Amino acid sequence: MENQIDTQMEQRKGRRLVLFPLPFQGHINPMLLLATILHSKGFSITIIHTNFNSLNPSNFPNFTFHSIQDGILESEASSKDVLALAKLLNTKCVEPFRDCMVKLLSDVSEETISCLISDAFFYFTQAVADSLRLPRVVLRTGGLSSFVVFDAFPLLRERGYFPIQDSQLEEPVAELPPLKVKDLPVMDNVDPDSFYEIIAGMVNESKASSGIIWNSFEELEQSELDTLRQEFPNPIFPIGPFHKYYLTSSSSSLLAQDQSSISWLDKQAPKSVIYASFGSLAALSEAQFLEIAWGLANSNQPFLWVVRPGLVRGSEWLEPLPSGFLETLNGRAHIIKWAPQLEVLAHPAVGAFWTHSGWNSTLESICEGVPMICMPCFTDQKVNAKYVSQVWKVGLQLENGSDRLEIERCIRRLMVEKEGEEIRDRISKLKEKAKFCLQQGGSSLQNLDSLVSHISKLES
Ligand code: UDP
């Protein structure tokens, strides 16, 4: 058996993979983890990255890095318009990415490149890969369930769901139970046609690829997986949760993680703390921020709160808080700029995660058995929140713009009442399933083997 594995590793030597992450935290983390997983399977790894949100190669000595000049201007990089930035990246990166690939492919001293693995949102890379006759595999960093919804956009458009009308928000989407119109993965305050165009690019070029990798696991999204396997021409590999492969992986965090959160958690009672964090992109109005602050304060639970600089529109950091806010809480609160989130969620003191329902955060919470309070902001977060609260029933959903009373009530339901106990029970069971899929014979490990053999057979 061992000899067989050695031979397989030997055969794969000289097979290089080129990975291209979308330069946002929630996309960089899973791509770098995937790189670590595939490296452990014997592949050599090259990472191409943009100079916007540039990566630090010294954290990953086993990989080769190439930086491309994306031409993103300072003003574009600092704009809060993620959609516009994604679109710009898909146009401005075409030439530099192509040039970089041509150089890599023509370097005869290097090993053969098996394929490109690109973030699904870098949809321009399919045409580049085709023109270079290089197979392209896609990493979709979100869930399968939200992808099913994105894939249904043309149908939903045809049936008049878009643009979304306020009067229809509470109506069910008959084609996609249990979603209501308000759960559809759209973005407020952006041009709906622009958004539609990006989603269509992402879905269509994923379908055109040689395979799609997902940071999810079969037992979590079985029926969505069945749907996509039926409808998609290319193979699908749910091989997550990536961060639970127990390989030593370096941090790909763009911001410094404040370790004081762990020493603070060490002093709190088991399962007593609410960990509140809204990811790397979500932004709040000052009014929303204050309702959250008072909701947390009035809950009487200890809380660890990540307030990312820029989280509150128009503020640097904590200026909107009333003076003396923290002092009156007598050490019951700890506010930081960025957390070592995986460590925080695994800490025994954490009893609930108040999240914006980004896919990584959702999966990380499930893996630690931490029940969620969901406050989705945009796109797939809305679908994730619905699945957490209504399908897997491992959390509660707050409506956007909730007031402090609703927040307080929601925290009570989760932390104190019987309903919370049932939710905790369910998420513990889901945590076990997540563990199981990475044990010998588990679904994700089997899918990883299929992926490795699929990649090994791809011919450029
Ligand atoms: N994260 C972190 N520290 C924080 C908040 C988030 O390390 O204080 C990490 C988190 O573990 C996750 C990623 O940042 O891997 C956020 O991804 P997610 O999909 O949840 O949300 P996004 O930032 O893309 O909206």
Side-chain angles (χ1 to χ4, degrees), residues 1-13:
M1 178 76 175
E2 206 129 277
N3 279 347
Q4 201 186 337
I5 293 175
D6 284 348
T7 322
Q8 283 171 3
M9 296 275 277
E10 197 52 43
Q11 281 167 352
R12 233 168 273 136
K13 271 205 184 129

Side-chain angles (χ1 to χ4, degrees), residues 25-27 29 253 257 275 277-282 306 337-342 356 358-362 364 381:
Q25 190 70 75
H27 294 251
N29 288 358
S253 194
Q257 298 180 319
Y275 167 56
S277 172
F278 310 118
S280 60
L281 299 170
V306 176
K337 291 183 173 164
W338 196 243
Q341 182 161 302
L342 295 177
H356 69 307
W359 182 251
N360 294 288
S361 294
T362 304
E364 289 162 6
Q381 297 160 13

Side-chain angles (χ1 to χ4, degrees), residues 317-349:
W317 194 39
L318 298 178
E319 311 85 90
L321 284 182
S323 66
F325 175 83
L326 276 176
E327 291 69 22
T328 55
L329 295 173
N330 292 325
R332 185 158 63 78
H334 192 58
I335 300 185
I336 51 172
K337 291 183 173 164
W338 196 243
Q341 182 161 302
L342 295 177
E343 277 175 77
V344 166
L345 287 171
H347 197 285

Side-chain angles (χ1 to χ4, degrees), residues 237-254:
F237 305 97
I239 60 165
F242 295 175
H243 69 288
K244 283 292 180 182
Y245 271 76
Y246 302 109
L247 300 162
T248 41
S249 61
S250 313
S251 167
S252 49
S253 194
L254 295 167

Side-chain angles (χ1 to χ4, degrees), residues 286-312:
E286 195 173 311
Q288 263 177 315
F289 176 73
L290 285 174
E291 288 309 302
I292 292 171
W294 284 115
L296 283 167
N298 297 344
S299 75
N300 286 328
Q301 299 286 146
F303 61 92
L304 171 65
W305 189 8
V306 176
V307 180
R308 196 188 76 236
L311 172 70
V312 187

